[in-house]
C-alpha cells in the first residue's frame, strides 16, 4: 500500500508527474484506474508515478497516515526523478494532492485537483461521501484543521481546479470555496469548468482529461 508505480518515457523526460486516485479515502478503491493515464503521460515524455497509500479500512489507514503516505510517496518520486512538474488528484485524491504538495521539497510546480474535496471543512458540513470525512478522521473532529488544505494556505505553487458541469458527488462549491480562500492567501488559482460528470476524468479521451493535460503542459518550466 506504500508504493509508487513508475512509468518511464523513452528518452529524456520533459517532466515528472504524480497521480493520486480518489474513492473517498476508502480501501475499496485503489490506483488501478489511473494506469492508462500514467501510460499516456509516459508516451508524452513524462515520468509518471501512480501512488498507493493506506486508506480507511487498511491497517494504519485514516488521518494522519493517509496524508503522510501520499507526502512520502511524492517526496520519493521527486528524490528519484527530479522536481515534480505536477501532482494530479481526483476527488479525495485532489484533497490529498493539495495537502501533500506542501510537504514536498522542492514544492511541485502545480497541483491539479479534479472534482476535488478541496475544502474539507465544507465537505464535512455537507456530508460529502456520506460520512467519508468523519471516517477519514476516525471521528476526531479536532484533526480537521490539520487535514484541511483550505486551512493550510498559502500552498505556494500554481493550482488548477478542474470541475465538471454535472457532479452531484463532489459539488463545485468545494472548489469555488477553496479557490477564494487560496487567492486571498496569495496563491495563483485557476478554476476550469468543463463538460462531464464526477467520473469523466477516468476516460483519457474526455474533455476533463484534456483540461488536465493542458494544465500540466503549462506547468513545464520555461
Amino acid at each position: 500500500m506504500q508504493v509508487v508505480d513508475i512509468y518511464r518515457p523513452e528518452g529524456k523526460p520533459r517532466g515528472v508527474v504524480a497521480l493520486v486516485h480518489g474513492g473517498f479515502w476508502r480501501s475499496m478503491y485503489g490506483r488501478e484506474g489511473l494506469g492508462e493515464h500514467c501510460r499516456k503521460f509516459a508516451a508524452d515524455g513524462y515520468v509518471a508515478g501512480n501512488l498507493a497509500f493506506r486508506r480507511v479500512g487498511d491497517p494504519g489507514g485514516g488521518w494522519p497516515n493517509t496524508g503522510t503516505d501520499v507526502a512520502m510517496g511524492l517526496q520519493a518520486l521527486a528524490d528519484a526523478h527530479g522536481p515534480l512538474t505536477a501532482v494530479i488528484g481526483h476527488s479525495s485524491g485532489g484533497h490529498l494532492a493539495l495537502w501533500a504538495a506542501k510537504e514536498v521539497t522542492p514544492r511541485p510546480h502545480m497541483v491539479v485537483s479534479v472534482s476535488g474535496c478541496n475544502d474539507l471543512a465544507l465537505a464535512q458540513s455537507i456530508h460529502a461521501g456520506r460520512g467519508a470525512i468523519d471516517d477519514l478522521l476516525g471521528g476526531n473532529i479536532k484533526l480537521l484543521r490539520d487535514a484541511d488544505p483550505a486551512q493550510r494556505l498559502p500552498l505556494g505553487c500554481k493550482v488548477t481546479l478542474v470541475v465538471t458541469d454535472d457532479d452531484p458527488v463532489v459539488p463545485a462549491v468545494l472548489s469555488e470555496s477553496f479557490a477564494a480562500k487560496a487567492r486571498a492567501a496569495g496563491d495563483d488559482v485557476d478554476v476550469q469548468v468543463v463538460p462531464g460528470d464526477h467520473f469523466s476524468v477516468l476516460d483519457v479521451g474526455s474533455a476533463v482529461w484534456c483540461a488536465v493535460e493542458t494544465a500540466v503542459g503549462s506547468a513545464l518550466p520555461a
Side-chain angles (χ1 to χ4, degrees):
M1 289 176 285
Q2 295 167 298
V3 299
V4 182
D5 298 332
I6 304 296
Y7 297 73
R8 294 181 174 86
E10 295 184 5
K12 183 179 179 179
R14 61 190 300 216
V16 183
V17 298
L19 283 79
V20 187
H21 71 81
F24 282 117
W25 310 278
R26 290 172 172 142
S27 61
M28 66 186 75
Y29 304 105
R31 69 194 186 281
E32 296 78 14
L34 295 180
E36 184 178 3
H37 302 69
C38 290
R39 286 189 288 272
K40 193 169 189 308
F41 268 127
D44 290 338
Y46 296 88
V47 173
N50 194 3
L51 273 70
F53 46 90
R54 290 173 291 178
R55 295 142 292 167
V56 176
D58 295 325
W63 205 260
N65 292 345
T66 294
T68 55
D69 278 3
V70 173
M72 288 189 295
L74 296 180
Q75 190 66 63
L77 182 62
D79 289 346
H81 297 283
L84 301 179
T85 306
V87 181
I88 305 151
H90 172 231
S91 191
S92 58
H95 155 264
L96 292 169
L98 290 166
W99 187 89
K102 195 167 183 176
E103 305 298 308
V104 180
T105 304
R107 203 71 52 86
H109 292 291
M110 173 181 284
V111 176
V112 183
S113 177
V114 186
S115 300
C117 296
N118 306 315
D119 187 325
L120 202 65
L122 181 56
Q124 196 269 347
S125 71
I126 65 174
H127 306 292
R130 300 179 179 179
I133 293 92
D134 291 334
D135 292 343
L136 174 68
L137 303 178
N140 185 355
I141 197 64
K142 293 181 180 179
L143 295 175
L144 180 60
R145 182 175 180 83
D146 174 69
D148 190 352
Q151 299 185 58
R152 285 163 43 92
L153 297 167
L155 183 59
C157 65
K158 169 74 175 175
V159 177
T160 295
L161 307 177
V162 179
V163 298
T164 61
D165 59 6
D166 181 21
D167 189 351
V169 179
V170 177
V173 68
L174 300 182
S175 291
E176 295 162 358
S177 174
F178 178 88
K181 294 174 182 178
R183 287 168 180 157
D187 281 331
D188 181 3
V189 184
D190 180 35
V191 180
Q192 299 183 22
V193 182
V194 296
D197 59 30
H198 187 70
F199 301 101
S200 294
V201 69
L202 300 179
D203 176 6
V204 295
S206 68
V208 181
W209 188 248
C210 180
V212 172
E213 291 182 316
T214 299
V216 172
S218 74
L220 289 171

